Amino acid sequence: MNTENALKGNNKLCKICYSPFSDTYLVKEMMFGFRDEFSYNQCSSCGCLQIAEFPQNIDKYYPPYYYSFNAETAPLKRQPFIKRIVGNFRLKKLFKKDRPALRYLKPIDVNFSNKILEVGCGKGRQICDLFNLGFENIEGVDKFIPQEIDHGFGVRILKKDIEELKPNNYDLIIMNHVLEHMPEQLNVLKNCRRLLKDEGCLLIAIPIIAEAFEIYKENWVQLDAPRHFFLHTVKSMNILAEETGYEIRHKLFDSLSFQFWASELYKKDIPLFPEENNRLAYPVEKYFSEEEIENYQTKAAKLNAEGRGDTAVFYLFKKAN
Ligand SMILES: [Zn+2]
């Protein structure tokens, strides 16, 4: 075994930068309140937190009522011909209107003719929303869906591994809160790089270790044990991007009041979805006043402006070989 493989196989070293760990946290499953405990190690150098062992029975923690399985998709509606011919002029106007579906795409030079792939897209809610705005060259891939989905107009959600997709084929790949669930961080980014065209962009939205982790530690809601395997810092994302052939050209912090109120619930040993028969209702009003939530939101906006919010979007551009 060569030195590199020896480092990669060593469970006592960080899987991102191969430095030793400094701290270990015992984290409970609290989204549904199983309260099973999992060890997370934090790297002494890059600060990345990672689950000590990938659970064998991970399916238990993605029950059928897990929200991303149930996100419904809007029916596809093609833009009328006249709107399609003015395409990118119309897109500029849409960006100005701050449409939620376009929020992540605003910082990059995207246009309607770009070929887009979303990795880990579930049934494809975001894909359908983007199609309805005018992105027609779009598809998704998710190996965990029961079978391939055809939404019509050539928009398909493939049930495949990303390794199986055609190389040099996409202008933009979107990974919206999926990287943290994946055990093979470097491999995923290398595979995405292979699929991107030259100068293509990989958009990664993830939780990030910042202020909220410093305050709440093992009760930080975004640890989301054991579903989140990796919690990155800005530093560990920089290393990951560098190691896999990308340049990070832009970052956007988009954390919400959620980082505070949900972590407060966990601190009080209250799960996010405490009711057996209602897995979608957060008990927000029951525990917090409107004013408290508003204060949390103001705090989140301030942290985002300082680059200290607990969720971020990274824009990784494929570097030439
Ligand atoms: Zn590290």
Side-chain angles (χ1 to χ4, degrees):
M1 200 189 271
N2 63 30
T3 323
E4 200 190 339
N5 283 337
L7 286 172
K8 280 180 190 164
N10 190 333
N11 276 341
K12 293 197 174 77
L13 298 178
C14 170
K15 290 190 171 66
I16 307 299
C17 76
Y18 311 118
S19 300
F21 295 121
S22 53
D23 297 292
T24 299
Y25 297 91
L26 210 52
V27 189
K28 284 184 194 159
E29 195 292 323
M30 287 300 287
M31 179 184 273
F32 303 115
F34 289 110
R35 296 186 176 79
D36 301 340
E37 291 182 328
F38 302 88
S39 280
Y40 280 73
N41 296 318
Q42 188 167 30
C43 175
S44 59
S45 174
C46 73
C48 178
L49 260 167
Q50 41 215 273
I51 197 160
E53 275 172 53
F54 299 119
Q56 295 294 311
N57 60 340
I58 193 70
D59 289 356
K60 174 183 171 183
Y61 305 102
Y62 290 97
Y65 44 79
Y66 185 70
Y67 62 91
S68 75
F69 295 151
N70 298 307
E72 287 307 322
T73 57
L76 294 194
K77 236 176 76 192
R78 208 162 185 208
Q79 291 290 333
F81 177 71
I82 190 72
K83 286 198 170 177
R84 279 187 279 131
I85 54 169
V86 296
N88 292 315
F89 177 69
R90 193 171 65 82
L91 181 58
K92 285 201 179 86
K93 272 169 67 183
L94 288 172
F95 278 135
K96 276 189 191 143
K97 286 184 191 158
D98 273 332
R99 301 289 286 260
L102 291 177
R103 199 167 48 117
Y104 285 172
L105 302 189
K106 204 173 171 178
I108 42 172
D109 191 20
V110 65
N111 65 61
F112 281 139
S113 58
N114 282 163
K115 191 161 171 72
I116 302 175
L117 173 74
E118 185 180 358
V119 174
C121 59
K123 289 181 192 168
R125 182 166 75 167
Q126 183 171 229
I127 287 172
C128 294
D129 290 349
L130 288 173
F131 180 94
N132 288 341
L133 285 169
F135 293 94
E136 298 199 351
N137 210 353
I138 189 165
E139 61 189 8
V141 63
D142 194 322
K143 64 177 174 181
F144 296 110
I145 53 173
Q147 71 247 330
E148 184 177 307
I149 303 168
D150 187 346
H151 284 290
F153 299 104
V155 178
R156 289 185 311 158
I157 315 296
L158 309 167
K159 181 180 168 60
K160 280 187 177 175
D161 267 313
I162 48 176
E163 287 91 334
E164 300 171 70
L165 302 180
K166 208 174 124 200
N168 300 311
N169 193 25
Y170 300 96
D171 298 288
L172 173 66
I173 298 179
I174 300 173
M175 292 179 78
N176 191 2
H177 286 272
V178 293
L179 183 65
E180 62 270 34
H181 298 262
M182 296 176 153
E184 299 280 347
Q185 301 278 294
L186 284 111
N187 272 351
V188 171
L189 263 69
K190 282 180 192 163
N191 271 307
C192 286
R193 186 179 180 280
R194 196 178 55 84
L195 303 181
L196 283 173
K197 295 179 189 169
D198 290 343
E199 282 292 296
C201 175
L202 171 61
L203 184 164
I204 300 179
I206 46 167
I208 206 91
I209 293 181
E211 190 82 4
F213 174 70
E214 298 310 325
I215 300 171
Y216 296 103
K217 298 289 181 184
E218 54 270 44
N219 291 313
W220 177 40
V221 65
Q222 288 291 357
L223 267 164
D224 198 24
R227 286 165 293 270
H228 289 180
F229 294 158
F230 287 85
L231 287 309
H232 283 282
T233 58
V234 172
K235 185 176 178 185
S236 67
M237 273 307 287
N238 282 329
I239 295 169
L240 188 60
E242 177 70 27
E243 284 293 305
T244 50
Y246 297 92
E247 180 192 354
I248 298 177
R249 292 204 193 141
H250 192 72
K251 292 190 285 287
L252 172 88
F253 290 82
D254 65 340
S255 76
L256 300 168
S257 60
F258 178 72
Q259 65 192 310
F260 299 109
W261 63 256
S263 302
E264 287 290 336
L265 289 180
Y266 287 10
K267 216 167 96 180
K268 296 184 185 112
D269 196 39
I270 301 164
L272 201 52
F273 303 117
E275 289 161 41
E276 287 278 336
N277 53 1
N278 187 0
R279 295 298 194 178
L280 292 174
Y282 295 144
V284 188
E285 303 84 5
K286 201 168 148 190
Y287 297 101
F288 303 95
S289 68
E290 239 173 77
E291 199 193 339
E292 280 174 301
I293 297 293
E294 265 172 40
N295 287 342
Y296 287 147
Q297 193 56 43
T298 310
K299 229 164 123 179
K302 187 170 174 280
L303 289 175
N304 291 339
E306 295 164 359
R308 299 274 297 150
D310 83 336
T311 52
V313 189
F314 292 83
Y315 299 86
L316 285 69
F317 285 81
K318 179 175 176 173
K319 282 200 293 198
N321 281 325

